[in-house]
Amino acid sequence: MPARETASFRIYGLDCAEEVSLLRKELSRHIGVTEISFDVLNSRMAVEFNPARTNTESILEAVARTGMRGENWQQQSGSPDGFWQRRGRAVAAAFSGLTFLAAALRQGLVSGDFLGLLLSHGSSEGALSTGTKALFLLAIVSGIWYSLPKAFRALRDRRADMNVLVAISITGAIVLGEWAEAATVAFLFSLANLMETWSLSRARRAIGSLPRMTPSEVSVRHGHHEHRVPVDCVPVGAIVTIKPGERIACDGDIVEGRSAINQALLTGESVPVLKQVGDKVYAGTINGEGALEVRTTRPASDTMLARVFRMVEDSQRRRAPMEQWVETFAQYYTPAVIGIAFLVAVVPPVLWQASWVDWFYQGMVVLLISCPCSLVISTPISILAALTAAARRGVLIKGGAFLEAAARMEVIAFDKTGVLTVGEPEVTALTPLNGYAMNSILARMAGLEQRSEHPVARAIVRHAQTLGIEIQPVAGLEALPGRGAQGELDGRHFWVGSGRLLGEKRLSSPEVERHLDGYLDAGQTVVACGTDDEVYALAALFDRPRPEAHESLERLKRLGIRKLVMLTGDNERAAAEVASQLVLDEVHANLLPEDKAAWIASALERYKVVAMAGDGINDTQAMSGASIGIALGAKGTDLALETADIVLMSDDLSQLPFLVRHSRRTLRVIQQNVAFSLATKAIFLALAMFGAATLWMAIAADMGATLLVTLNGLRMLRPSQE
């Protein structure tokens, strides 16, 4: 298989679907390019290519042939340099508006009719003085200064984009002597483009603020000395000191100190969380009043914050079905409306001997409203704003497709341990059997469990450490997914695991059954251990439901989620004990990972959108098979976080009702934007067909609609507080 490389580029001038189409057309002909993706909101293009056949310089040359300018993403500074590049559009729009106003005032003072210039068309060209025409011409040129080069490129490539349509309409208006209307169209077009650029910049700034939230340097301890070191140079395992009030620069574990940490940036939690020795801290969070020493566990490029930012960036490439529908619709809509414009201009004069001038004018009005900019741009802005707002709240959604799917969820399945429960079970009893000593048994059990991320395994290790028992090393350790673990201890095969594993070993006895039934009747989780010949001990553990679980599930039911289900590998009585305190429709216990995945597959045959919420390796198979995989982030395993489509960074189930409300609100905003855009265009098409529309009204309606739907989409930057 040939090698593939991916490069990202900043494309200056990439701000609409037309530019995307132009770049895609040019690069698809470029030898060696295999895949192209676009992030219009950040003016970013990613290209996958065969390095044996092309390179980044050649790709940039292809970009230049479209009339746009590109540079490697790593080298870009975030915004074009120079006053005219940053403020040119604003200056041009302002100059267009001022010269138009001056021309209108001059003509109004001469004729005494200020409103007649705009409210009617067909005025005699000779009625305007040369000075007034010159002012109108200045307003026109400055208004279309930035769009005219794009219009020429589109004509060269035989495309009819909005720039071409505006240029044709303005030219036609000048030919007809409608100088005032031509200038009005140019000014409104430049103003709307300026406001659209501002709206896009606001969305870009919102997402771009995430990676700047860590210090550039950190204090690293070397023996009794400290040195300030760039964060990128801090190795894994280094000891860094965090002063009170300082923003934490690295992910790591606290080795000394105790302090309250503000984790709002990552998790959305408004209340600082108390952290002490052994707890994890994350880059970008803020230390409270205590000094800390932290052993780093990840390089700066792979901190939780860096991963969140990459996931948010990548999420923009996973387009929602609604977004794909809008783009497909636009491909057919624009040619259809151009055809209608031709018919409007030609049919009435040919069939009914109507005025060619009047109906040519109405045809230009139809052309102006044919570009689907308001349709195309509003959907990605709404989705990006919603994704960014959710990330600030501690809910990481990995794409518009999953945001839309969350709005349509019908069933949510939950793992029990660590999801519906606190995830920190405690060993409540340990019963040695067959005369074995408790400390010896616990040392073996902890040795087998110490490498596992499962909450039950962690509880056993924690219990051994609390009692000061030295954990016994294990040879040939092997995980048994959904059941336990096994390995070699003192030359013998030793195992530890669930009641299911105990049943597989066929080592039951009256004494084992008596203790087992007693623990199960109390609703506790049971872990057994032993060799292939006998059972050494039974341990009982209990994990209480999360404090917020009951209320969160009730709110999900009130929001219309049809079914809430628990899927657990725990025994039936332990599952029933937890379920009795929660609002659940079904409980399925004693499930292996493949059993959970099978249940999800069967549910998808009955329901359209099924979500699976989990936090461990045992849940990843079911999560990947569900319509949406939801992981609890802070305690979830790396594999669960990578598998999940949505991550609750705060490990807070109350974020699930927020997710449902937020995604539904986003879908409503998108639907509002699409309906408003189509309704506006339909109204002006009807007006044009009856000969009642004017050019300036059409441009105001089209560009105004684009601006309004963009601003409506940006409302999603502030999530609902209901």
Side-chain angles (χ1 to χ4, degrees), residues 444-462 465 471-480 484-488 496 617 637:
R444 287 175 166 83
M445 293 177 71
L448 286 166
E449 299 281 34
Q450 66 177 339
R451 296 185 186 177
S452 174
E453 292 293 333
H454 195 282
V456 170
R458 293 200 303 264
I460 291 172
V461 173
R462 189 168 57 249
Q465 292 171 338
I471 297 176
Q472 189 166 339
V474 179
L477 182 64
E478 178 187 359
L480 304 172
Q486 60 187 7
E488 299 295 324
V496 60
I617 294 174
T637 64

Side-chain angles (χ1 to χ4, degrees), residues 16 27 74 80 109 178 209 214 222 246 274 282 285 293 316 336 365 395 446 453 482 489 552 604 630 648 691 703:
C16 195
L27 289 173
Q74 294 81 356
L109 290 173
E178 303 292 345
S209 63
T214 55
H222 299 282
E246 189 176 20
L274 182 64
Y282 301 101
T285 59
E293 290 193 357
Q316 299 170 63
V365 171
V395 179
E453 292 293 333
L489 285 160
S552 298
L604 284 170
I630 303 173
L648 309 183
M703 294 294 101

Side-chain angles (χ1 to χ4, degrees), residues 73 176 268 288 302 314 333 368 386 396 417 507 546 613 713:
W73 183 260
L176 295 175
D302 195 37
D314 291 342
Y333 164 83
L368 274 182
L396 179 59
T417 305
L507 297 175
R546 288 174 173 270

Side-chain angles (χ1 to χ4, degrees), residues 477-535:
L477 182 64
E478 178 187 359
L480 304 172
R483 294 175 294 166
Q486 60 187 7
E488 299 295 324
L489 285 160
D490 299 327
R492 300 189 65 187
H493 183 261
F494 201 83
W495 56 266
V496 60
S498 64
R500 177 191 290 270
L501 184 59
L502 175 62
E504 292 176 2
K505 296 296 182 180
R506 301 182 183 276
L507 297 175
S508 184
S509 67
E511 184 181 14
V512 169
E513 291 295 330
R514 179 168 56 84
H515 289 293
L516 185 62
D517 289 340
Y519 291 146
L520 294 177
D521 288 340
Q524 301 195 67
T525 299
V526 178
V527 174
C529 65
T531 64
D532 291 335
D533 300 319
E534 58 183 338
V535 179

